[in-house]
């Protein structure tokens, strides 16, 4: 075991012990004379425990409030006897549901006689060199295009999983910002790399993945926290796209650009959270 803290302040120790345990850090408290000692049970949590203790010391009320808000975001699960649609709807917000519905409607239409006019109106450009400045929606609409059932299911699943969690934790406005930012950058970079004949929500999915990795890094109780195995899978799939091993054509540039956009957005969110905590601490 590793000693993390010694104090005589019983109230502070009680709050800190509860805070760390609720964040998934295995800690225990012992008495030594008139001192209380906080011990880390498992050494692999050392870095996370120190970061959380520093966060708590800087703003105890703010740290507990953030934990409460993220716990509330993940505690609104439906009852165990809820139907599958009820469970799915409970995991998403308005933007997540609306955009998933749009993607689904477009995918259905692409498998009818309307396929060609829909593709012509939703692809990013009519040429290989001209950006659609007169039709700016085209920077976004390629995300609605999916050309196979596997492509469609993969992207809608991850949009619902990542986008839904993000929207419930940070709100619809933040998800809209992430959607537009990641879509525009990934579509623009893919157009410059290969021309206008591409589509899919994968760039946005990788953007949301990048956001989740940054905002929930070493924060296992955060609603966007991703297991290491899942992070590894997404990165391996990204790298495989640059090889000839996959049986499908992959918009690799869109994936990479979306991931970069997501990482930048994630850093921005962490900075905003830090500023808000600092303001709260100084305002007390």
């Amino acid at each position: 075991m590793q000693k993390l803290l010694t104090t005589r302040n019983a109230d502070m120790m009680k709050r800190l012990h509860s805070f760390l345990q609720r964040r998934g850090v295995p800690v225990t408290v012992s008495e030594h004379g008139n001192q209380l000692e906080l011990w880390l049970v498992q050494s692999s949590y050392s870095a996370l425990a120190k970061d959380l203790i520093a966060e708590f010391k800087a703003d105890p009320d703010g740290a507990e409030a953030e934990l409460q808000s993220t716990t509330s975001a993940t505690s609104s699960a439906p009852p165990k006897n809820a139907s599958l649609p009820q469970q799915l709807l409970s995991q998403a917000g308005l933007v997540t549901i609306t955009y998933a519905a749009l993607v689904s409607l477009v995918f259905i239409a692409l498998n009818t006689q309307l396929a060609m006019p829909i593709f012509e109106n939703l692809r990013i450009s009519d040429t290989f060199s001209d950006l659609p400045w007169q039709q700016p929606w085209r920077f976004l609409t390629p995300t609605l295009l999916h050309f196979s059932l596997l492509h469609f299911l993969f992207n809608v699943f991850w949009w619902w999983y990542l986008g839904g969690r993000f929207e419930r934790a940070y709100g619809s406005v933040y998800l809209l910002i992430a959607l537009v930012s990641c879509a525009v950058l990934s579509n623009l970079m893919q157009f410059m790399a290969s021309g206008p004949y591409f589509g899919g929500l994968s760039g946005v999915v990788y953007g949301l993945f990048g956001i989740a990795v940054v905002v929930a890094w070493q924060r296992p109780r955060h609603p966007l926290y991703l297991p290491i195995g899942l992070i590894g899978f997404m990165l391996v799939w990204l790298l495989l796209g640059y090889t000839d091993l996959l049986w499908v054509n992959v918009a690799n540039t869109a994936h990479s650009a979306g991931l970069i956009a997501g990482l930048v957005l994630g850093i921005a969110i962490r900075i905003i959270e830090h500023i808000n905590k600092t303001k709260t601490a100084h305002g007390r």
Side-chain angles (χ1 to χ4, degrees), residues 212-229:
V213 169
V214 174
V215 300
W217 186 253
Q218 292 191 330
R219 301 163 82 180
R221 295 296 182 182
H222 194 284
L224 287 175
Y225 180 77
L226 300 176
I228 294 297

Side-chain angles (χ1 to χ4, degrees), residues 198-259:
F198 67 90
L201 197 55
S202 303
V204 175
V205 166
Y206 268 98
L208 292 170
F209 166 71
I211 291 172
V213 169
V214 174
V215 300
W217 186 253
Q218 292 191 330
R219 301 163 82 180
R221 295 296 182 182
H222 194 284
L224 287 175
Y225 180 77
L226 300 176
I228 294 297
L230 184 53
I231 294 175
F233 166 78
M234 294 294 285
L235 293 177
V236 168
W237 186 260
L238 176 68
L239 294 175
L240 282 176
Y242 286 94
T243 72
D244 295 324
L245 299 177
L246 298 179
W247 62 94
V248 292
N249 293 323
V250 180
N252 299 309
T253 304
H255 294 179
S256 299
L259 177 59

Side-chain angles (χ1 to χ4, degrees), residues 85-183:
Q86 288 176 318
Q87 294 181 43
L88 290 174
L89 290 174
S90 72
Q91 297 168 8
L94 179 62
V95 174
T96 309
I97 295 169
T98 301
Y99 213 72
L102 285 174
V103 171
S104 301
L105 290 173
V106 170
F107 178 72
I108 293 171
L110 285 174
N111 288 277
T112 69
Q113 294 181 346
L114 298 173
M116 188 53 66
I118 288 176
F119 177 70
E120 294 293 338
N121 283 280
L122 295 183
R123 71 184 186 186
I124 190 170
S125 176
D126 290 327
T127 73
F128 278 81
S129 57
D130 298 322
L131 290 171
W133 300 114
Q134 303 304 316
Q135 299 175 317
W137 67 84
R138 288 180 178 267
F139 286 104
L140 178 65
T141 53
T143 60
L144 299 172
L145 298 168
H146 294 83
F147 308 113
S148 72
L149 181 60
L150 180 62
H151 189 209
F152 164 74
L153 292 176
F154 182 89
N155 281 346
V156 170
F157 169 80
W158 285 110
W159 163 256
W160 200 277
Y161 181 82
L162 295 171
R165 291 180 175 215
F166 182 69
E167 184 173 9
R168 293 190 63 90
Y170 290 94
S172 299
V173 173
Y174 269 76
L175 181 58
L176 274 173
I177 293 172
L179 168 62
V180 173
S181 301
C182 296

